[in-house]
């Protein structure tokens, strides 16, 4: 067993798979249950409402929503990290996820942009000719 400082409260504890101590795990679970109960009782609550009612950061509420562990009402929908469309599960909307998965997105389009720039300066083609000669 290795001793480590809890990521949340800084106390020393016997490190488990999580970076926080058993005390904080229990507290987090409690907060999670409170958030869940609040959402059940207030189905028009927004993320801000929940955060201020429970006394936690909006980011924590968002984190739980993204994990998909909470029932999400219309008012709790949050923006897709890529296009900003309202979503209720995960970090991206379905469309963006599909694009990400088909890998024609992000790295690939960045690469294409670079190639297009090179093409415009002629560098791209001369490089390719060199390649063919070899
Ligand atoms: Zn702790
Ligand atoms: Zn999206």
């Amino acid at each position: 067993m290795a001793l480590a400082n809890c990521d949340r409260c800084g106390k020393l504890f016997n490190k488990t798979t999580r970076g926080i101590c058993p005390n904080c795990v229990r507290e987090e679970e409690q907060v999670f249950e409170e958030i869940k109960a609040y959402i059940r009782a207030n189905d028009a609550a927004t993320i801000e409402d929940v955060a201020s009612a429970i006394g936690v950061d909006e980011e924590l509420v968002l984190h739980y929503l993204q994990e998909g562990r909470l029932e999400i009402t219309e008012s709790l929908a949050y923006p897709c990290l890529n296009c900003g469309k309202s979503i209720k599960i995960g970090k991206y909307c379905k469309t963006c996820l599909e694009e990400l998965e088909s890998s024609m997105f992000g790295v690939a389009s960045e690469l294409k942009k670079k190639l297009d720039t090179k093409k415009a300066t002629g560098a791209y083609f001369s490089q390719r000719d060199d390649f063919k000669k070899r």
Side-chain angles (χ1 to χ4, degrees):
M1 262 192 282
L3 279 179
N5 283 97
C6 169
D7 285 344
R8 198 160 170 269
C9 70
K11 258 197 312 218
L12 271 179
F13 74 111
N14 286 318
K15 198 165 166 43
T16 53
T17 47
R18 297 193 59 178
I20 61 176
C21 72
N23 231 349
C24 289
V25 171
R26 222 173 304 135
E27 270 177 41
E28 280 203 340
E29 279 308 309
Q30 228 166 26
V31 166
F32 178 75
E33 290 303 321
E34 276 181 53
I35 292 174
K36 202 161 87 176
Y38 185 84
I39 291 172
R40 274 221 184 111
N42 305 274
D43 58 2
T46 60
I47 292 175
E48 293 95 297
D49 293 339
V50 179
S52 66
I54 313 289
V56 293
D57 282 346
E58 284 172 29
E59 262 172 44
L60 183 72
V61 181
L62 186 63
H63 171 75
Y64 285 139
L65 294 178
Q66 287 172 338
E67 277 191 330
R69 291 169 68 194
L70 292 161
E71 294 161 49
I72 299 191
T73 56
E74 286 301 324
S75 54
L76 279 173
Y78 49 91
C80 161
L81 284 184
N82 184 55
C83 71
K85 207 166 83 180
S86 277
I87 52 168
K88 293 182 179 177
I89 192 160
K91 294 183 176 176
Y92 300 98
C93 69
K94 241 183 126 207
T95 323
C96 290
L97 261 187
E98 274 163 17
E99 278 185 58
L100 281 169
E101 271 162 17
S102 68
S103 82
M104 286 303 292
F105 184 79
V107 181
S109 66
E110 271 304 303
L111 201 68
K112 191 174 175 298
K113 231 183 279 168
K114 267 182 209 154
L115 289 179
D116 285 345
T117 326
K118 276 192 184 166
K119 221 187 279 180
T121 59
Y124 175 64
F125 282 114
S126 59
Q127 263 175 19
R128 275 195 76 177
D129 288 341
D130 289 348
F131 187 71
K132 260 186 254 165
K133 270 179 226 155
R134 250 183 271 159

